[in-house]
Structure formats: C-alpha cells, structure tokens
Amino acid sequence: MLMKQAAARLAPLTGLAQEDVLKLMEVPPQEAMGDVAFPCFILAKTLKKAPAIIASDFAVALQGEGLHAEAAGPYVNIRFDRDVYAAQMLEELGSETFGKLQLGQGKRVVIDMSSPNIAKPFGIGHLRSTVIGAALYRLYNEAGYTSVSVNHLGDWGTQFGKQIAAYKRWGSEEALQADPIRNSLELYVRFHDEAEQDPTLEIEARDWFRKLEQGDEEAQRLWSFFVKVSMQEFNRMYERLNVTFDHTLGESFYNDKMGAVVEELQAKGLLEESDGALVVRLDEENMPPCLIIKKDGTTIYPTRDLATAIYRHDVMQADRLVYVVGGEQKLHFNQVFTVLSKMGHEWAAKCEHIPFGLMRFEGRKMSTRRGKVIFLQEVLDEAAARALQIIQEKNPNLEHPEQVAEAVGVGAVVFGDLRNNRLNDVDFSLEDAVSFEGETGPYVQYTHARIQSVLAKAAETGTQDFSQEGAENSSGAIAGDTSWSLLKLLCDYPAYLEKAVLRSEPSVIAKYTIDVAQAFNRFYHAERIADAAPHVKSFRVKLAKYTAKRLAYNLSLLGVQAPERM
C-alpha cells in the first residue's frame, strides 16, 4: 500500500508512469531512514540534473499530506505519518480481496507432483516433490490460476520386471501378504545385489516386463497386487500430509496412448534406428538421442512422458504443464520438451520442469536399490512424539495433546522442507525442525497460538472499535515502532505472493511467514496491549487479529495446520 501511495505522488514529478515508478521503489536498508525510497539515477539524463539534486528537489515537492521526505544522496527517502495511514492499512488488511492476484488469469496449470514408484516404500525422499507440488498448487490458485494436480505414479517399466523376477525366485505369498511394502523392498534390493553376480537376472526381468506389456495373466496379477498395497500405504501418508490430488494416473494409464505417439514420430520422420533401438536424434540441440523404443521392443519412460504431455494438453486442456521433479531429471525433461517441439506442438514452450535439490536425512543419502530408505511414516511418527513431549512440558493441561502434537510434528517436517530454497540440497534434521525456537514451523504455530490467547484475554476486558476518527481524536501515536513495522510487513503480502508464484518458490512464503511471526513477537514484547489507552488497545488488538489470520492462512498455503492452543 505505501509503495503505491508513494509511486502515485512521485509519478508526476518523474514523468514516468506510476507502474514504472513502482518497479523502481525500494525499502531503505534501515527502517530509521524511512518507509520507502526512490533512486533518482535513472532520471539524471532526462532531467539533466545530478541524482542528488533531483532527490533534494523531490524531497521538497513531496512534503505534506501525511508524507515526510528527505534526500539521502541520490535517494529520496519517504516516511509516512502513521496516524494518518494506520487505519487505511488496517482496512486494507480486512478486505476480502486483499492478497488475491490475477497473474494466472484463470489459465489451467497441470502440476505433475509426488509420483512415487509402486512397490517401493514412501520414503523421506518422496517428501520434496509432494509438499513442494502441493504448495505450488495452492499458490497458483491464490494468484489466479486454475490448478490441476496429478499424481503420476511410477507403476510401469522394467522395474516391475525386476520385482516380479525377484518374487518368483525368492518371494513367498505369506511374506508378501504380511508386510507387502517392506517385503517388496527386500526383494528389490536382493535383485540388484544378486544381479551383480548373475547377469541372467536382468534378462529375466526384461522378459517379465515384456510379458506384462503383452498382458500375461500372472504378470498382471502380481502387478495389480503391488499397485493395490502400495496405494494403501501412499494414501495414509497423503492424509497425514494434508495432500490431495485431482487425478491419480499412473504411467500404465498411457499404455494405449503410446502407439499414437510412435506413429506420429514415424510419420514426421523423427524416428531413427540406433543399435536396434528407435530414437529421436537431438544433435542440433547438443543433447543425446531420446530413446523411444528399446532393443527388445518395450517402451521406456520418455515414450510415456510424451503421451502424458499430449494427453494433459489435449484432454485436460492445460495451458501450462509443470513437472515438480528432482533436478537430476533435467536432461530427461529437456529431451521430452524438445521432442514435443520437433513434433510441431507449439505448446511445448509452456512445459516447465520445476527442479529441486536432493534431500538427505541427517547426512544420509537415500537409495532404494541399496535399501537405504528412511520411511516417511517413521519420520512423521517420531516428529509427532517429540512434539508431544515438548507440549506436555510447556502445557500439561492442554486438551487433546495428541491431536496438537500430530499437527505440530507433521507441520514441522513439511515446513522444515519448504523453508529451504527448492534448488538447494537439504540435509534434514528432525531435531532442528521440531524446535519451538528459530525459523521453524512450530515457532510459527506457537506464535499463532499465543495471539489467540492475547485475543481471548482482550475479549474478556472489552475493546472499542478502531476507526480513523477515533485515531485522530486520541492522544499519542497509535502505532509504535514495532507495531508499524508489523503493519507494513502484513500489507506487503501480495508482493511476496507474486514473487513466490513467478519463481515457483514456496520458500518465499515460508520465510515471509517466519518474518511475520518474528515481527509480532517484537511488537508483543515492546508495546503493551492489555493496559494501553482504549483506542491504542483497540488498534493493537486488531493488528494482532490480522497477524493471526495471516499466519494461519500462510501455513495453510504450505499445507501446515495452525492450532488454536499449544
């Protein structure tokens, strides 16, 4: 709000459009210097004056009507009269349309996210795609897109030939029924261990996958069982993470759609034979060939991803295709998008890989093939247990402590991931994530619960409604330094949302939410609420109310609950 106000006043002086002035506005490095600043360098040529002189002239012209301006070298720093603008800013925060953007203009963005592999445990390594994708789904909706989430299950491919081959050699129906996910993992690990000494295993696995593609009854029976028990496991995790999908479509869904892709590639002269396989050459793009059909005649995941992209564009009517997949798949998606473009699909330019870094758990890298998997369920259970212990120490009389601990523990894991820049590798520490101090989810949740307590106490003593008229008739400043800082930060939310959406970066909102919680706690300790003058108390209570609302809403965008009591 303040940026817009300053830009409106500056625009006539600069000769620039208000939108252009707004893009140039800055926040001074120190709050004591002012609320907003405008750099005058860009005007030196057109106004034929030194930037420092321009800043001095602007400072004189801007004085009055609730603004105080002063030159600081080539910058003009602007300070707003708090008693004049505080009520307007509170009113803006209370508006139903506050923070709603129209960046997407209703366009449909289909988000490929989570995508775990069937017959594998839902490990901590699956967390990033799941929670980053879910956060982007909500953020895109908030910015005016129509989001469509798709869980693209890894339920097809040579891995199932390996799984079936391993089961046929060493598995048992009894062990598989007793603990299907762990038993499947043990078989998969054993396959890769044994295959290092017995090359015939790989041949056997390819044969089983070929049978699966050809509809072999036994292969289909085992595959269907793996899919069923895996989905039961996955759905338990999704429920705890507060993640839902508009569509759950595995790679197998596109089996009957790949033939058309291969035919189109052949018709357009894009397929070439290479050592018995069929590929699309990408030499001009400085990329290796994109493999479409393997030597044994079976398909591979680039084939399925081509069919998937065409289906999402044509049937799901996507205006934009987004793939939230680890950074190690960069080449794969570059190849797929390039092949789509070569096929003549202009919308390939609207396909985007949103990569993220590797997740380690307390220094350990995960590997399904080696059995080095940390089950997400065990991490969430441990997080909830640690949260429960802390809650019982801080508030032994809290009602329903287990429910609160679940919200705090799971929220700690989700927030602990999302506060990191998605491109960075993450070495996840459960102890750090569950801490109620520092830049953590529990810290934000605890701040929200503290505000609820403040509001409850204020309601007991009663407060009058805050209004501009009352502010003008009251003695003393309504907003102190810390409440003014908090108020400005709350009003800046749309700018942070826009940045998060344009960068597809949930950490922008996570870090902003931490900043809001910290700003509230500074305000809470510096400015009295309960025994303040009536109108000042009313202002501060309303500010606390809007802070709690922002914290809870931002947490919900990230997929984290905001308990009322902790």
Side-chain angles (χ1 to χ4, degrees):
M1 174 185 175
L2 297 184
M3 287 280 191
K4 291 181 179 178
Q5 291 278 354
R9 295 281 293 276
L10 275 163
L13 301 177
T14 63
L16 301 174
Q18 184 175 328
E19 296 78 18
D20 294 330
V21 174
L22 189 59
K23 293 176 183 177
L24 296 169
M25 300 294 295
E26 299 179 10
V27 176
Q30 298 178 5
E31 199 164 25
M33 298 172 68
D35 298 312
V36 298
F38 179 77
C40 299
F41 307 99
I42 193 172
L43 301 174
K45 188 173 182 179
T46 56
L47 297 182
K48 295 181 171 50
K49 293 181 181 179
I53 295 175
I54 297 172
S56 182
D57 291 343
F58 283 3
V60 174
L62 288 169
Q63 297 294 348
E65 296 184 32
L67 266 67
H68 308 281
E70 60 183 25
Y75 287 86
V76 56
N77 293 332
I78 302 170
R79 184 177 291 103
F80 290 82
D81 189 319
R82 300 175 186 180
D83 288 347
V84 172
Y85 284 93
Q88 296 180 30
M89 295 164 75
L90 276 180
E91 185 177 355
E92 181 181 19
L93 290 175
S95 169
E96 291 184 3
T97 59
F98 176 75
K100 302 295 183 182
L101 304 181
Q102 288 303 319
L103 294 175
Q105 299 179 330
K107 293 182 178 179
R108 290 173 66 82
V109 53
V110 173
I111 306 170
D112 183 312
M113 52 179 279
S114 193
S115 308
N117 288 323
I118 294 298
K120 306 293 189 303
F122 201 108
I124 190 73
H126 295 106
L127 184 70
R128 302 214 74 189
S129 175
T130 304
V131 299
I132 292 172
L136 290 177
Y137 176 90
R138 302 182 191 99
L139 291 172
Y140 290 154
N141 276 335
E142 190 78 354
Y145 286 94
T146 299
S147 299
V148 180
S149 58
V150 182
N151 191 1
H152 187 64
L153 297 171
D155 69 346
W156 207 249
T158 307
Q159 61 174 340
F160 287 97
K162 296 177 180 179
Q163 199 75 51
I164 295 171
Y167 172 75
K168 285 294 185 180
R169 285 209 178 192
W170 311 297
S172 73
E173 190 81 17
E174 182 179 357
L176 196 62
Q177 291 284 356
D179 195 344
I181 298 299
R182 289 184 186 271
N183 183 250
S184 296
L185 174 62
E186 290 170 0
L187 291 173
Y188 191 71
V189 172
R190 182 172 180 179
F191 177 93
H192 286 94
D193 288 343
E194 299 272 353
E196 292 180 0
Q197 307 299 325
D198 183 0
T200 64
L201 268 174
E202 294 285 355
I203 298 172
E204 189 175 330
R206 287 194 293 271
D207 287 340
W208 272 112
F209 179 55
R210 188 184 301 108
K211 290 179 182 179
L212 183 61
E213 286 208 306
Q214 294 171 349
D216 177 83
E217 184 176 345
E218 176 66 358
Q220 287 280 341
R221 182 186 71 82
L222 289 171
W223 174 79
S224 297
F225 176 77
F226 290 139
V227 171
K228 178 183 176 181
V229 296
S230 296
M231 286 309 304
Q232 291 173 348
E233 166 77 5
F234 296 163
N235 288 335
R236 282 196 295 270
M237 293 301 96
Y238 291 135
E239 185 176 357
R240 293 187 75 178
L241 293 171
N242 191 30
V243 172
T244 59
F245 301 94
D246 296 312
H247 302 279
T248 297
L249 299 173
E251 293 180 58
S252 62
F253 176 79
Y254 303 95
N255 282 346
D256 61 353
K257 301 167 181 59
M258 288 185 285
V261 173
V262 175
E263 289 175 6
E264 183 178 350
L265 289 169
Q266 287 175 328
K268 293 180 177 178
L270 295 173
L271 276 185
E272 295 185 25
E273 185 175 340
S274 176
D275 295 328
L278 293 178
V279 303
V280 176
R281 295 203 175 276
L282 303 174
D283 299 346
E284 294 179 0
E285 289 77 16
N286 295 316
M287 283 186 278
C290 183
L291 180 60
I292 302 298
I293 300 291
K294 294 189 290 185
K295 293 179 182 180
D296 61 5
T298 59
T299 59
I300 192 169
Y301 56 95
T303 325
R304 293 188 283 277
D305 276 352
L306 289 169
T308 301
I310 293 171
Y311 179 86
R312 289 173 182 172
H313 177 268
D314 294 351
V315 180
M316 293 185 178
Q317 299 183 318
D319 297 298
R320 179 183 172 196
L321 298 180
V322 163
Y323 297 79
V324 184
V325 182
E328 69 277 3
Q329 294 296 321
K330 179 180 178 180
L331 174 60
H332 165 71
F333 284 109
N334 283 342
Q335 288 179 311
V336 170
F337 300 159
T338 302
V339 172
L340 286 170
S341 182
K342 281 178 165 292
M343 294 170 74
H345 299 300
E346 295 181 359
W347 49 265
K350 299 296 183 181
C351 296
E352 181 182 1
H353 174 212
I354 296 182
F356 53 83
L358 180 71
M359 173 171 277
R360 290 181 172 84
F361 188 79
E362 297 178 344
R364 289 173 286 172
K365 181 179 178 181
M366 277 68 75
S367 171
T368 306
R369 291 189 176 190
R370 297 304 176 193
K372 297 177 181 177
V373 176
I374 298 169
F375 284 65
L376 181 59
Q377 178 176 329
E378 296 175 356
V379 174
L380 297 182
D381 288 346
E382 178 64 21
R386 294 191 186 195
L388 180 60
Q389 182 179 357
I390 297 172
I391 288 169
Q392 289 176 332
E393 292 172 358
K394 288 179 173 287
N395 189 358
N397 298 319
L398 179 69
E399 294 184 359
H400 310 298
E402 291 82 7
Q403 294 180 16
V404 176
E406 173 74 4
V408 173
V410 174
V413 173
V414 173
F415 195 94
D417 184 346
L418 293 179
R419 72 181 179 86
N420 293 283
N421 184 300
R422 63 175 168 79
L423 291 173
N424 292 344
D425 290 346
V426 176
D427 189 359
F428 190 86
S429 166
L430 189 57
E431 182 177 356
D432 292 343
V434 180
S435 174
F436 279 54
E437 299 177 355
E439 299 180 352
T440 69
Y443 170 78
V444 176
Q445 290 171 314
Y446 188 69
T447 301
H448 174 265
R450 166 180 277 177
I451 298 174
Q452 298 304 322
S453 178
V454 169
L455 294 175
K457 291 178 181 177
E460 293 175 1
T461 57
T463 57
Q464 65 186 94
D465 185 41
F466 180 77
S467 65
Q468 183 64 49
E469 180 181 356
E472 292 171 349
N473 294 333
S474 64
S475 59
I478 291 296
D481 289 344
T482 56
S483 57
W484 180 245
S485 296
L486 174 59
L487 182 57
K488 289 191 295 182
L489 186 59
L490 291 173
C491 289
D492 284 343
Y493 165 70
Y496 285 91
L497 173 62
E498 181 173 352
K499 183 187 297 185
V501 170
L502 292 178
R503 297 180 181 179
S504 294
E505 184 55 84
S507 69
V508 172
I509 294 299
K511 292 172 183 176
Y512 167 74
T513 306
I514 292 169
D515 289 344
V516 171
Q518 291 173 336
F520 174 82
N521 285 313
R522 287 192 292 269
F523 154 65
Y524 176 76
H525 290 295
E527 300 183 38
R528 305 289 297 178
I529 296 178
D531 55 2
H535 219 76
V536 175
K537 176 182 177 182
S538 180
F539 165 78
R540 293 175 182 172
V541 166
K542 201 163 190 177
L543 179 60
K545 174 185 174 183
Y546 288 137
T547 303
K549 183 179 178 181
R550 175 51 51 205
L551 292 177
Y553 197 80
N554 282 14
L555 287 174
S556 71
L557 289 175
L558 300 174
V560 178
Q561 295 183 51
E564 298 284 311
R565 299 286 182 270
M566 283 177 64

